């Protein structure tokens, strides 16, 4: 279903990004597995894809760096001639209460989670406009919709991703490019593994389904948004949160 498509997934060495990379590759896309620090994990992701007969390449790039993003995308265009799907998944947390949050904690999260999306979208959209088509999928969060105590930086970045998504959808729609966001709830990854058992229980209790979600459940929606079946969907935020934000 994604045969012949080229997909760039940021932060794809582990967690949700890895699962998105595996799922897009299973559906036939050639996947660029972007990573920042986790080289070995990115290598493993590429190996897993290749072991199943898929095509993948790893690429180191800090998405918060505008110049590096431009270089990465220019090199990929040179190698593959096109980028059909961009999944902005890279993200970090630096949790603290508002009054205790340092300027660095605030800026770092905004730089990676929000500016990182802008950096890749700015460069990729140039080529997608020429191609007259493309799919951009940004991973936001339920917390970007409803906020979360102790995560003012993270929630601001994820709410920003929604504004960025909707604006880009308006700018790029007439050229056949769709831009959507996914707002996951509580998904079991390394990011949430550090939370206390009590907080995990409280968050699970807030879902209507009374359970946590899996990276596979997020990846399935990303694959749908990247597919031909989603060709008339743009500017949307799809929650994958077990009903947490209802
Ligand atoms: P994770 O397991 O902590 O993985 C984070 C990923 O982001 C890693 O692959 C990491 O790559 C990458 N990354 C971080 N900084 C980067 C940078 N500067 N440049 C490139 N890549 C960078 O987190 P996750 O749970 O899979 O989260 C993935 C996305 O989903 C994030 O945007 C997160 O905010 C969002 N999300 C997660 C949940 C959840 O419950 N888990 C809920 C809502 C939204 P390296 O290791 O190579 O640095």
């Amino acid at each position: 279903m994604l045969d012949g498509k080229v997909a760039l997934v940021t932060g794809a060495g582990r967690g949700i990004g890895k699962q998105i990379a595996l799922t897009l590759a299973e559906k036939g896309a050639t996947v660029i597995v972007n990573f920042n620090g986790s080289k070995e994990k990115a290598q493993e992701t590429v190996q897993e894809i290749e072991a199943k007969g898929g095509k993948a390449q790893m690429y180191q790039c800090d998405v918060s760096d505008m110049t590096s993003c431009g270089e990465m995308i220019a090199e990929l265009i040179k190698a593959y001639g096109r980028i059909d799907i961009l999944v902005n998944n890279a993200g970090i947390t630096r949790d603290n209460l508002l009054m205790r949050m340092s300027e660095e904690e605030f800026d770092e999260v905004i730089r990676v989670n929000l500016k990182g999306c802008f950096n890749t979208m700015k460069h990729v959209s140039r080529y997608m406009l020429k191609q007259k088509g493309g799919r951009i999928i940004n991973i936001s969060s339920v917390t970007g919709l409803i906020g979360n105590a102790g995560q003012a930086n993270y929630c601001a970045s994820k709410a920003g991703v929604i504004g960025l998504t909707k604006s880009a959808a308006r700018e790029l729609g007439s050229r056949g490019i769709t831009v959507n966001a996914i707002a996951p709830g509580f998904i079991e990854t390394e990011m949430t593994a550090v939370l206390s058992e009590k907080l995990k229980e409280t968050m699970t209790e807030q879902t209507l389904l009374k359970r946590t979600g899996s990276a596979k459940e997020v990846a399935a929606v990303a694959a749908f948004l990247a597919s031909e079946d989603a060709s008339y969907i743009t500017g949307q935020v799809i929650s994958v949160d077990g009903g947490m934000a209802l």
Side-chain angles (χ1 to χ4, degrees):
M1 148 180 137
L2 296 176
D3 290 323
K5 304 282 183 200
V6 178
L8 167 59
V9 184
T10 68
R14 56 198 180 87
I16 293 171
K18 173 177 181 171
Q19 194 54 54
I20 291 174
L22 293 173
T23 306
L24 295 182
E26 256 169 41
K27 299 199 180 291
T30 298
V31 180
I32 292 93
V33 174
N34 160 258
F35 67 100
N36 187 29
S38 305
K39 188 176 179 187
E40 278 172 25
K41 293 196 171 174
Q43 231 153 12
E44 279 168 27
T45 306
V46 169
Q47 282 163 1
E48 272 183 55
I49 290 172
E50 288 175 344
K52 287 183 189 156
K55 289 187 219 119
Q57 174 201 332
M58 57 195 259
Y59 198 108
Q60 196 281 334
C61 170
D62 175 352
V63 296
S64 71
D65 187 306
M66 168 64 87
T67 309
S68 306
C69 284
E71 286 166 3
M72 168 172 71
I73 285 151
E75 275 186 43
L76 294 175
I77 292 288
K78 213 169 158 195
Y80 297 97
R82 55 193 301 110
I83 296 176
D84 302 287
I85 302 157
L86 165 66
V87 183
N88 277 313
N89 163 82
I92 58 167
T93 51
R94 296 287 181 270
D95 298 352
N96 221 334
L97 291 172
L98 187 59
M99 272 169 48
R100 292 199 195 124
M101 189 175 285
S102 68
E103 191 179 354
E104 288 76 40
E105 284 169 336
F106 189 85
D107 288 350
E108 203 183 341
V109 169
I110 298 291
R111 257 200 318 272
V112 175
N113 297 7
L114 178 56
K115 188 159 174 270
C117 292
F118 167 68
N119 290 344
T120 54
M121 286 167 74
K122 177 179 162 64
H123 292 291
V124 159
S125 58
R126 209 176 117 210
Y127 298 101
M128 285 184 173
L129 284 169
K130 279 191 203 151
Q131 287 167 199
K132 293 196 171 55
R135 298 293 162 90
I136 299 175
I137 300 152
N138 295 325
I139 307 299
S140 177
S141 167
V142 62
T143 64
L145 294 167
I146 62 173
N148 197 22
Q151 289 197 309
N153 49 359
Y154 183 78
C155 300
S157 74
K158 293 299 186 181
V161 167
I162 292 172
L164 183 61
T165 300
K166 292 188 177 186
S167 304
R170 287 183 185 277
E171 286 187 26
L172 304 173
S174 64
R175 300 288 186 95
I177 302 163
T178 69
V179 191
N180 292 289
I182 298 175
F186 181 7
I187 310 297
E188 303 254 16
T189 66
E190 284 175 43
M191 186 177 271
T192 46
V194 296
L195 301 175
S196 71
E197 284 309 313
K198 192 165 182 304
L199 185 58
K200 284 185 194 172
E201 251 174 55
T202 313
M203 287 174 75
T204 308
E205 198 46 44
Q206 282 168 4
T207 69
L208 303 182
L209 300 177
K210 305 297 171 201
R211 66 170 177 87
T212 58
S214 70
K216 271 195 175 174
E217 288 171 312
V218 179
V221 178
F224 166 66
L225 289 172
S227 77
E228 208 32 53
D229 289 340
S231 49
Y232 206 50
I233 300 174
T234 195
Q236 301 305 303
V237 184
I238 318 258
S239 292
V240 183
D241 65 356
M244 192 188 260
L246 195 70

